[in-house]
């Protein structure tokens, strides 16, 4: 659950099923991004006698993350935020690290700072909602998702993730309502099927996968999941 939720945060958009959907949010840096970070690191080492900017600390934090040193990354992001307290990139990455480490108090506080820095962005509320859900603060998570939907009614991450939370707790009709606002009918049935499958309701899941394929015969994920269930 934690790994998948972190993927959702990285992906920014969560849409189960369909062509081109994010696979657990496996976000990757481009070669140009990696080269830029290496150059930033080299430059920072070369001009150690000069004060670093918030952007330089942010770049150093990303380098530390690439090297698997989350502690040093947080230190760099904190240094960036001392210079620019509202730098969205540092707030986002730091909140993500805290969430991955299940330091939920720190994560929630940082996601709230990120929301403020981004002008109460719906994506920020989505990230906060996911974090609160992981912390088992379901009432607060629902409030965060609702705030995001109010802020931007067509925001896919908020609607989809809110729906997933509702469905996992048996509120299927409400979940469907959330999904119908931003997803195609085939994708709605796919999401229902995915939740039902995760809960062990295999027969009901098969029904929903078949409905999604009736509406979109090219939905490859639905075909694969239905085939896997049918072969068991």
């Amino acid at each position: 659950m934690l790994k998948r939720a972190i993927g959702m945060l990285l992906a920014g958009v969560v849409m189960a099923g369909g062509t081109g959907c994010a696979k657990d949010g496996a976000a990757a840096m481009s070669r140009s991004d990696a080269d830029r970070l290496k150059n930033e690191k080299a430059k920072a080492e070369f001009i150690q006698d000069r004060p670093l900017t918030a952007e330089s600390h942010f770049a150093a934090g990303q380098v530390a993350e690439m090297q698997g040193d989350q502690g040093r990354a947080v230190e760099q992001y904190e240094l960036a935020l001392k210079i620019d307290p509202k730098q969205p990139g540092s707030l986002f990455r730091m909140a993500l690290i805290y969430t991955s480490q299940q330091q939920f108090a720190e994560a929630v506080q940082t996601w709230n700072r990120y929301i403020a820095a981004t002008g109460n962005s719906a994506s920020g509320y989505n990230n906060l909602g996911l974090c609160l859900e992981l912390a088992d603060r379901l009432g607060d998570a629902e409030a965060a998702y609702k705030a995001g939907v109010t802020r931007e009614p067509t925001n896919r991450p908020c609607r989809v993730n809110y729906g997933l939370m509702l469905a996992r707790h048996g509120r299927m009709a409400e979940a469907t309502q959330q999904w119908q606002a931003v997803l195609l009918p085939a994708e709605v049935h796919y999401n229902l099927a995915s939740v039902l499958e995760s809960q062990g309701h295999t027969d009901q899941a098969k029904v929903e996968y078949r409905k999604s394929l009736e509406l979109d015969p090219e939905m490859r994920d639905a075909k694969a999941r239905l085939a896997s269930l049918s072969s068991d």
Side-chain angles (χ1 to χ4, degrees):
M1 172 62 179
L2 179 61
K3 182 178 179 181
R4 179 171 178 80
I6 299 305
M8 290 174 180
L9 293 171
L10 282 169
V13 174
V14 183
M15 184 187 76
T19 304
C21 67
K23 296 294 185 181
D24 287 338
M29 281 189 189
S30 68
R31 171 55 59 185
S32 61
D33 288 336
D35 289 341
R36 176 179 61 79
L37 293 178
K38 288 178 182 177
N39 290 337
E40 285 284 354
K41 183 184 179 187
K43 184 170 66 176
E45 291 173 347
F46 182 71
I47 57 171
Q48 289 180 357
D49 57 325
R50 300 184 186 179
L52 296 178
T53 64
E55 290 74 19
S56 296
H57 284 298
F58 173 66
Q62 290 192 290
V63 170
E65 283 198 73
M66 290 176 66
Q67 296 171 340
D69 191 341
Q70 291 187 329
R72 185 160 61 87
V74 168
E75 289 175 2
Q76 289 298 322
Y77 296 140
E78 286 177 338
L79 288 171
L81 292 168
K82 284 183 179 179
I83 299 170
D84 180 1
K86 294 185 178 181
Q87 189 188 59
S90 291
L91 288 168
F92 179 89
R93 297 306 309 178
M94 193 160 68
L96 194 64
I97 290 172
Y98 284 141
T99 303
S100 71
Q101 294 177 339
Q102 300 187 52
Q103 294 178 246
F104 294 124
E106 294 85 351
V108 168
Q109 182 183 48
T110 310
W111 285 126
N112 277 315
R113 289 177 64 190
Y114 175 78
I115 289 168
T118 56
N120 297 320
S121 67
S123 62
Y125 283 116
N126 168 68
N127 295 341
L128 176 61
L130 278 167
C131 179
L132 288 164
E133 187 180 352
L134 285 171
D136 203 28
R137 293 170 53 182
L138 301 183
D140 292 333
E142 183 165 8
Y145 287 132
K146 285 182 174 179
V149 168
T150 299
R151 179 69 175 169
E152 186 184 333
T154 58
N155 186 272
R156 290 166 66 92
C158 269
R159 291 278 192 181
V160 173
N161 289 327
Y162 182 24
L164 288 170
M165 187 186 81
L166 292 170
R168 283 193 288 266
H169 291 86
R171 297 162 65 180
M172 296 299 188
E174 294 172 80
T176 299
Q177 262 189 334
Q178 293 300 321
W179 295 331
Q180 285 174 337
V182 292
L183 298 180
L184 296 173
E187 295 163 349
V188 172
H189 286 291
Y190 181 93
N191 280 352
L192 282 170
S194 295
V195 173
L196 289 166
E197 181 184 357
S198 72
Q199 294 176 334
H201 304 305
T202 304
D203 290 338
Q204 291 171 270
K206 287 180 182 177
V207 170
E208 295 298 332
Y209 282 134
R210 291 190 183 103
K211 286 180 180 178
S212 68
L213 287 170
E214 287 172 8
L215 292 164
D216 182 1
E218 300 304 315
M219 188 175 278
R220 291 175 297 180
D221 286 352
K223 285 181 182 179
R225 299 282 279 274
L226 180 59
S228 176
L229 287 178
S230 300
S231 65
D232 290 342

